[in-house]
Amino acid sequence: MDYLISVIVPVFKVEQFLPRCVESIQKQTYQNIEIILVDDGSPDQCPEICDMYAQRDSRIRVIHKENRGLSDARNAGIDKARGDYLCFVDSDDYIQPTMVEHMISEARKKDVKLVIANLKAVNEKGYRIFGREKSPIHKGIFTAEELLPKLYQEFGWYYIVAWNKLYHHSLFDKIRFPVGKIHEDEYIVAQIMWKAREIACIDSEEYIYIY
């Protein structure tokens, strides 16, 4: 079965980074995707940039909404997503061309509802923030009980995030990001992991996080 993957991108005041982000998603080797750009009332040129990409690529849908913050933007994307699986990409970051393919392949092979990929954290000049050997993410299948403690060690906080993960849509049946909270990811990542029961991890650096 060729699963549809919904890639949700919250957008706010990132006009200089947005093209790089969107184009990295368009170039995915796994093509059965929909790209949901959620314009969170951005006051710059982001709304126009989103619409431009949507006109050029039928896989892209744009949601324009009033500014209510990152959590609300992600929730709006979840509500409109048609995919069997979801993933999130922050609009100032970008992803490797193979990210979706590698993650959905792992989900299929291991029959799991949550996949976590490794990431590469770099500064704005492209220099790596920490070495790959410090990552808590290693290839294999782990229970939430095994994996969560690793995320509360040094450098583990980079992974208590919405992005760099592939979620079966059902994981969000009764879960949404809390509106009005900072570090909103931390409120749901553990819940999602416990709900998924088993998590497949891949150690390739598929997500590029700009620190």
Side-chain angles (χ1 to χ4, degrees), residues 86-88 103 114-116 159 161-167:
L86 315 176
C87 64
F88 302 94
M103 295 179 88
L114 179 62
V115 181
I116 302 178
Y159 297 83
V161 290
W163 33 263
N164 84 308
K165 298 173 179 65
L166 181 74
Y167 310 83

Side-chain angles (χ1 to χ4, degrees), residues 76-94:
I78 295 169
D79 292 340
K80 295 295 185 182
R82 298 182 293 227
D84 304 288
Y85 287 83
L86 315 176
C87 64
F88 302 94
V89 180
D90 281 0
S91 47
D92 53 348
D93 298 331
Y94 62 100

Side-chain angles (χ1 to χ4, degrees), residues 36-60:
I36 303 175
L37 305 178
V38 186
D39 162 35
D40 191 36
S42 189
D44 56 5
Q45 295 299 308
C46 283
E48 291 79 9
I49 294 171
C50 289
D51 289 340
M52 177 194 71
Y53 278 105
Q55 290 170 5
R56 296 176 178 178
D57 190 335
S58 61
R59 299 174 300 169
I60 296 178

Side-chain angles (χ1 to χ4, degrees), residues 72-136:
D72 194 70
R74 285 183 178 148
N75 292 340
I78 295 169
D79 292 340
K80 295 295 185 182
R82 298 182 293 227
D84 304 288
Y85 287 83
L86 315 176
C87 64
F88 302 94
V89 180
D90 281 0
S91 47
D92 53 348
D93 298 331
Y94 62 100
I95 59 178
Q96 302 284 20
T98 54
M99 188 180 98
V100 173
E101 180 182 359
H102 286 171
M103 295 179 88
I104 190 59
S105 174
E106 202 69 12
R108 284 168 162 168
K109 287 189 296 185
K110 302 300 194 301
D111 191 25
V112 295
K113 293 185 176 181
L114 179 62
V115 181
I116 302 178
N118 218 331
L119 63 88
K120 182 179 180 181
V122 300
N123 62 22
E124 290 185 357
K125 294 183 178 179
Y127 295 111
R128 185 185 287 271
I129 300 296
F130 62 89
R132 186 169 178 171
E133 72 282 355
K134 296 184 181 294
S135 169

